[in-house]
Amino acid sequence: MTLYVLSKPILLHFLTQLRSKNIDQISFRKNLVKLGRIIGYEIVNTLDYESIDVETPLGTKAKGIYIYDLENILIISILRAATPFVEGLLKALPTARLGVIAASRKEKEVQVGYPEDIPVDVYYMKIPQVSHKDTVIIADPMIATGSTMRKAIKSIVNSQPKRIYIASVIISEYGLKRLMEEFPFVDIFTISVDPEIDNRGFILPGLGDAGDRAFG
Ligand code: HSX
């Protein structure tokens, strides 16, 4: 498992705006699109490629590369917060196939600490056929307890894709540890690993409920 905590200033700049309670709904969505695009390019940089020659208009040859893994990308969008994030990912990965999972957590407050596993209701799932050549990118900007992401990974793991990536914006320390232990073969892209979860299962400091902030 590789953990990519992306820390380029441009990403942190957009994340800082997302965290602010003062950012409006449209700007919130736009920032998720921007982050998705940049994370998408970071993902592309990890894909397999081959060396090729290319002929220029001047009749000369130049050495180049062809990222053949781009032909086999499947993005899974966990509704609804991932919608603008995936819009950004698709800008970097325009040939991707797209699956969706509609899930909601059955939240209930715990008296002490935080919920370690929140029941997740998956009420719609439509995922194209997964092949052994596929790089599957499961996109959810927020991973708190990891309960939702566990369900998403389990829905495709038996198809044995070439690799499974998680694309996120914020993941909690607890969620990260939990997913790393259960799915050591999954690589995780995120911008921030936040230290805490509250007693309702919200990441702290986090950015609130991403779905509500993006869509009302
Ligand atoms: C939020 O809760 C996010 O967008 C995820 O879908 C989910 C994360 O919570 P957890 O399942 O990791 O606790 O709606």
Side-chain angles (χ1 to χ4, degrees):
M1 192 221 99
T2 306
L3 172 65
Y4 299 87
V5 182
L6 308 172
S7 58
K8 293 199 173 103
I10 186 67
L11 288 161
L12 298 176
H13 174 77
F14 293 136
L15 173 58
T16 304
Q17 292 180 345
L18 278 182
R19 287 193 194 271
S20 169
K21 65 179 185 182
N22 296 320
I23 191 173
D24 64 80
Q25 183 175 302
I26 295 169
S27 304
F28 190 92
R29 280 207 296 265
K30 283 186 175 172
N31 275 24
L32 276 180
V33 175
K34 290 174 195 166
L35 291 180
R37 181 198 284 249
I38 301 169
I39 292 172
Y41 285 126
E42 294 284 349
I43 287 173
V44 173
N45 283 330
T46 70
L47 299 178
D48 290 338
Y49 60 87
E50 63 189 2
S51 297
I52 59 166
D53 289 332
V54 64
E55 195 173 330
T56 76
L58 297 177
T60 56
K61 283 199 171 158
K63 296 252 175 253
I65 67 159
Y66 173 64
I67 305 174
Y68 55 85
D69 272 346
L70 281 170
E71 292 173 17
N72 295 287
I73 302 285
L74 170 59
I75 297 174
I76 297 177
S77 177
I78 300 185
L79 303 177
R80 68 187 159 144
T83 305
F85 188 49
V86 167
E87 185 183 328
L89 288 172
L90 283 168
K91 290 179 193 292
L93 301 150
T95 55
R97 285 130 57 225
L98 183 66
V100 293
I101 294 178
S104 66
R105 304 191 310 178
K106 295 179 195 154
E107 291 159 10
K108 74 170 192 287
E109 293 189 11
V110 296
Q111 297 306 313
V112 181
Y114 52 81
E116 298 199 337
D117 183 50
I118 299 181
V120 176
D121 194 11
V122 174
Y123 47 93
Y124 180 75
M125 188 182 297
K126 187 80 177 174
I127 297 174
Q129 187 152 14
V130 180
S131 91
H132 297 326
K133 290 183 178 176
D134 282 334
T135 295
V136 178
I137 303 166
I138 308 176
D140 193 337
M142 305 294 285
I143 300 169
T145 65
S147 303
T148 308
M149 188 53 71
R150 282 180 77 241
K151 285 224 163 181
I153 294 170
K154 285 184 172 191
S155 71
I156 49 109
V157 73
N158 288 339
S159 305
Q160 297 184 307
K162 180 173 178 179
R163 47 173 96 82
I164 300 174
Y165 285 164
I166 291 172
S168 67
V169 174
I170 300 177
I171 184 168
S172 76
E173 268 178 26
Y174 171 74
L176 175 62
K177 183 167 174 290
R178 188 178 182 206
L179 293 172
M180 280 170 57
E181 282 173 5
E182 188 169 355
F183 308 105
F185 47 87
V186 170
D187 292 344
I188 301 178
F189 289 77
T190 196
I191 304 170
S192 178
V193 180
D194 278 15
E196 287 181 57
I197 300 176
D198 72 9
N199 66 344
R200 293 173 305 157
F202 278 79
I203 301 172
L204 297 177
L207 49 71
D209 185 313
D212 286 352
R213 296 198 66 195
F215 298 109

